[in-house]
Structure formats: structure tokens, C-alpha cells
Amino acid sequence: MKLLLNSGGLDSCVAAFLNKGCVSLFIDLGEPNTEYARKAAKRTAELYCSDHYEVKLEGINQVVTKGYTHIPMRGKIIWVLGVAKAWELGIPTDISGMKADSNPKGTIEIFDQMVDTLQFPRPDVLPMVEDVLFDYKTIKEVLEAAPGVDISHTISCNKNPACGECYKCKERKELGIEEKR
């Protein structure tokens, strides 16, 4: 069994499709698009996952500098909470569709660095991570890896409403994939 870190985004949906029956985990960091992301994550879970959990991290959005659309180190926060939930549920593998968007080293390498700094109850059994979409760099490539996946409910832009100007919005528009909120 695997735990999917489900953002409600297109990549998470494709990762769930490729790992049908996985357990879904949505982590609410209080970002501007949270309600849309939650709704999309729940729909992804209904379509492709065996179970769905939500974790809300209260107050973290209060420490974000005004003007930021992202919480600093959000990916690392999500990974740590995901690993903790996986341990709680007895699931040995976390999966993600994060693609390490802004991380040239890759999600797996960054995760390995975090594991080195965390203390697990059983250091002899460390969690395994799969970044199932790391080899795919564009939305088109991701969709080609999962023919038949339903992405009509997913989000890609981190702004609320979707900005229409970021590379994710532009790529969805080029492919004729409207982001519905």
C-alpha cells in the first residue's frame, strides 16, 4: 500500500491514477487556494484512492510574508507530515506527483536529506518515497503517461483565482484544459 500526498493538482491526480487504490492525504496549510485544492483532492481520492485523510496545520499561514503565494519550504513541510501520517497508518511508501517543480536536485534527493535529519521510531525501517512523475516535465508528458485519467476537477495554479499568466496556466490553456474553480 502507498500513501499519496494529494494536493488536488493535476500531478497528484495522475499519480493516483497510476497507483489506483493508494491512500490519499491532503495537507491544508491555509494557502489562498485551499478550498479549491481540498475539493479537487477529495474528487481525486473518490476516483482513484481507497481512502482519504486531511490534515490541517493551524496558523502556518500567519507566518508567511505578505505578498507570497507560497509558504516557504512548503514541500518539505508536506513531506514531513506525509511521512508521519504514513507511519501512523503503517504504510511504508509515500508517493507524490510533485515533479520537484522548483527543485533541480529532484524530490527524492531532497527527501533523502530530510530523512537524514529526522528521527524515526524504527531507524532500521525508513520510509520509501516514489516521485512517480519525476521524468515528466510538462503537463502533456504527464497526461501521455496516463491515458484515460480524468483531470477535469484538478487545479494547477497556486493563485486564487487562477492567474492565467504562470507557466502552468499557459500550458493548460495550450492543451485546452480549463481550470474550473
Side-chain angles (χ1 to χ4, degrees):
M1 180 164 305
K2 298 176 182 181
L3 180 83
L4 169 69
L5 300 175
N6 185 353
S7 68
L10 184 144
D11 295 341
S12 292
C13 184
V14 172
F17 178 83
L18 294 173
N19 292 274
K20 289 180 181 140
C22 62
V23 174
S24 167
L25 174 63
F26 175 78
I27 299 176
D28 177 353
L29 298 177
E31 295 173 291
N33 68 344
T34 295
E35 287 310 311
Y36 299 104
R38 174 184 284 113
K39 182 179 174 185
K42 192 170 185 176
R43 179 66 181 140
T44 291
E46 289 168 357
L47 289 170
Y48 306 119
C49 302
S50 63
D51 211 345
H52 179 68
Y53 295 90
E54 293 184 7
V55 172
K56 184 171 186 166
L57 202 56
E58 297 283 346
I60 194 164
N61 60 340
Q62 295 172 4
V63 299
V64 177
T65 306
K66 290 183 180 180
Y68 278 20
T69 57
H70 274 296
I71 293 170
M73 296 179 40
R74 71 185 294 279
K76 292 180 181 182
I77 293 167
I78 289 168
W79 276 110
V80 169
L81 293 173
V83 167
K85 189 66 173 180
W87 271 95
E88 176 188 323
L89 297 172
I91 299 173
T93 305
D94 283 10
I95 58 173
S96 167
M98 291 172 78
K99 287 193 322 206
D101 285 336
S102 60
N103 182 358
K105 291 185 176 183
T107 304
I108 303 301
E109 185 174 326
I110 294 299
F111 182 78
D112 287 343
Q113 291 172 5
M114 289 189 322
V115 166
D116 289 342
T117 64
L118 299 172
Q119 294 182 352
F120 288 95
R122 291 190 52 208
D124 58 317
V125 183
L126 293 176
M128 187 174 94
V129 175
E130 293 178 17
D131 188 353
V132 296
L133 301 176
F134 185 70
D135 291 333
Y136 306 102
K137 303 301 181 204
T138 66
I139 293 174
K140 183 177 180 183
E141 289 175 347
V142 168
L143 294 177
E144 288 170 353
V149 65
D150 177 2
I151 58 158
S152 62
H153 61 281
T154 64
I155 64 169
S156 293
C157 186
N158 294 311
K159 295 186 178 173
N160 184 26
C163 71
E165 298 299 320
C166 68
Y167 76 93
K168 291 179 181 180
C169 285
K170 288 178 181 177
E171 190 175 0
R172 280 183 83 121
K173 185 176 182 176
E174 287 173 13
L175 294 171
I177 306 167
E178 184 181 346
E179 186 168 314
K180 302 172 187 170
R181 293 195 184 200

